[in-house]
Amino acid sequence: MVVRFDEEFLKDPVCSYARLRAVGPVHRAEAPDGSPVWLVTGYDDVRAALADPRLSLDKANATTGYRGLALPPALDKNLLNLDAPDHTRLRRILGRAFTPRRVEALRPAVEEIAGALADAVTGADLLAEFCVPLPIRVICTLLGVPPADVTRFREWTDAVLVPADAGRARAAMGSLYAFLTALVEAKRASPGEDLLSVVADSLSADEMLSAAFLLLLAGYENVVHVLGNGLAELLSAGLTSSTVDELVRHASPLQLAIRRFPTEDVEIGGTTIPAGETVLLAVASAHRDASVFPDADVFDPSRAENPHVGFGFGPHYCLGAPLARLELSIGLEALFSRYPGMSLAVPYAEVEWRSAFRSRSLRALPVRLNGRFPHSGTVGGGG
Ligand code: HEM
């Protein structure tokens, strides 16, 4: 059987992946663009494959015509397209900007941003009022985008990441590219304290540009929707605190890791995948694997063991994970300390989702800031 990510599949991806896991660990599938892919759904295979050096992230190793996002060449040389040794070198340099000390130094800025946003929310849509602006403002701080440019920067970013129409997305991409190029040049000419300045001496202009672009792509949408999806789950369960790890396991929007291409024939879960074909690792499916997570569908912040792979595993492990943890915990604290009685404004079952091949996220998150908690049963989501 060939799996298709059609409306039926995406209506309830938790259920769809559960059905696939019951059949086997590896499946033939068709990506939305019609290209053939292999889909890996069990936890052990997903985790091992994430760190398997025989699975390349470099599109040059694809033999079935995989194209993916058509990025300008200057943006293509980013960590998520590279293997060792180029990846190792770049990662070491960018790692300088994400040391525990540097991330901790961002705490006051993140607290200020989260506090100001939380003070201003009305509850009409917490996704738009809080979850979206928090990470984009943090990234602007990280990259040293001047405050006057933050609004324009966000408009382009939104148009690229959530394209309403292809023409607008292309135009925004052009503007973003020009903006980042100018930003990188400015940082090289007169460095400040921000991330781009920290790495300016060690990277070429294109490598800096690719890094800025990747941080934007990788650091924005995931945080928005772990916060959004996570808040919906927390509020629906009547909880006002959580561990970030359970949010990342159970509520993450991320369905699939970055595609990989075997550099030789590779056996995964009893299936031999030929060199050059496309492999998709279903992280969201791995997170519901009951052989690793007892009561996997239950959202349980008190879980003793939580070896999730929501930040990846191995050499490409999320570089921004410490920052993501900081943003998520400060963001939730900013809201719950101000609005301890906050509740969903609609029953959990009526919250609207935007399910796509790669990500599953909310369309909006209406809440009552001082409402009483309307009990809406267990948080599970299919089975
Ligand atoms: C909750 C939010 C986040 C989630 C769920 C998340 C998830 C991930 C995952 C799964 C990977 C590995 C992909 C793979 O191997 O296929 C990854 C890589 C990466 N993430 Fe995150 N991420 C988050 C936030 C961030 C933030 C805030 C930043 C930076 C500002 C960031 C920067 C990166 C970078 C640069 C990589 C590439 C690392 C490499 O290839 O060596 N991420 N992320």
Side-chain angles (χ1 to χ4, degrees):
M1 188 191 76
V2 175
V3 178
R4 289 197 169 76
F5 299 95
D6 52 16
E7 213 178 302
E8 183 63 29
F9 186 98
L10 297 175
K11 201 168 68 192
D12 189 347
V14 174
C15 255
S16 305
Y17 279 119
R19 274 199 298 273
L20 290 182
R21 282 196 308 280
V23 174
V26 178
H27 309 263
R28 264 254 161 249
E30 190 181 285
D33 68 1
S35 62
V37 295
W38 296 92
L39 184 63
V40 183
T41 53
Y43 176 88
D44 291 339
D45 293 317
V46 166
R47 186 168 191 269
L50 280 167
D52 190 331
R54 297 170 303 168
L55 295 175
S56 164
L57 276 79
D58 184 346
K59 284 178 279 188
N61 288 313
T63 56
T64 54
Y66 179 92
R67 285 199 313 269
L69 260 185
L71 291 178
L75 301 184
D76 240 352
K77 288 265 167 256
N78 70 60
L79 291 176
L80 286 173
N81 280 336
L82 295 172
D83 303 322
D86 283 347
H87 172 265
T88 325
R89 181 182 62 87
L90 265 187
R91 167 115 188 175
R92 209 170 28 236
I93 295 167
L94 287 175
R96 283 183 213 154
F98 286 91
T99 59
R101 191 176 58 82
R102 285 213 165 258
V103 172
E104 195 47 42
L106 287 168
R107 180 180 292 274
V110 178
E111 279 173 350
E112 197 185 314
I113 295 168
L117 289 171
D119 282 340
V121 298
T122 66
D125 177 7
L126 221 49
L127 194 70
E129 294 177 328
F130 188 81
C131 307
V132 170
L134 174 67
I136 194 74
R137 289 199 197 173
V138 172
I139 291 174
C140 285
T141 306
L142 197 71
L143 295 180
V145 173
D149 290 328
V150 169
T151 310
R152 283 191 310 156
F153 187 71
R154 182 175 155 199
E155 279 165 15
W156 297 324
T157 304
D158 285 347
V160 169
L161 290 180
V162 191
D165 74 77
R168 206 175 137 238
R170 247 193 323 276
M173 180 70 170
S175 306
L176 191 60
Y177 182 72
F179 180 85
L180 288 176
T181 306
L183 187 69
V184 162
E185 274 166 19
K187 299 294 168 190
R188 288 170 84 83
S190 76
E193 280 300 302
D194 52 87
L195 179 147
L196 288 178
S197 299
V198 170
V199 298
D201 281 348
S202 318
L203 297 181
S204 70
D206 280 2
E207 286 170 338
M208 267 175 84
L209 201 57
S210 296
F213 186 70
L214 174 63
L215 292 173
L216 189 63
L217 278 191
Y220 181 26
E221 232 198 329
N222 277 327
V223 179
V224 170
H225 293 297
V226 171
L227 261 180
N229 297 3
L231 276 162
E233 302 222 338
L234 285 168
L235 295 175
S236 142
L239 298 169
T240 54
S241 73
S242 173
T243 67
V244 165
D245 288 289
E246 183 65 346
L247 288 182
V248 171
R249 180 190 76 87
H250 197 272
S252 179
L254 195 78
Q255 303 291 295
L256 302 166
I258 301 297
R259 76 284 167 286
R260 279 146 163 90
F261 311 104
T263 50
E264 57 188 81
D265 293 0
V266 167
E267 196 241 278
I268 299 180
T271 300
T272 299
I273 300 183
E277 302 206 346
T278 309
V279 182
L280 299 180
L281 307 173
V283 168
S285 174
H287 286 165
R288 302 303 179 99
D289 187 331
S291 68
V292 178
F293 303 100
D295 291 324
D297 285 337
V298 177
F299 179 71
D300 176 8
S302 64
R303 227 166 247 288
E305 301 270 312
N306 200 340
H308 66 77
V309 287
F311 287 124
F313 180 64
H316 291 277
Y317 181 81
C318 179
L319 188 63
L323 178 61
R325 288 172 191 279
L326 190 78
E327 287 184 61
L328 293 169
S329 56
I330 291 176
L332 294 173
E333 168 65 21
L335 288 173
F336 288 129
S337 62
R338 284 169 178 76
Y339 313 109
M342 183 163 65
S343 66
L344 289 178
V346 295
Y348 185 73
E350 287 172 27
V351 170
E352 279 190 50
W353 293 88
R354 185 204 318 260
S355 273
F357 167 54
R358 290 196 180 284
S359 88
R360 171 172 157 77
S361 56
L362 297 181
R363 284 188 189 280
L365 180 58
V367 299
R368 284 195 207 97
L369 294 179
N370 291 304
R372 286 169 63 81
F373 165 59
H375 191 75
S376 57
T378 52
V379 181

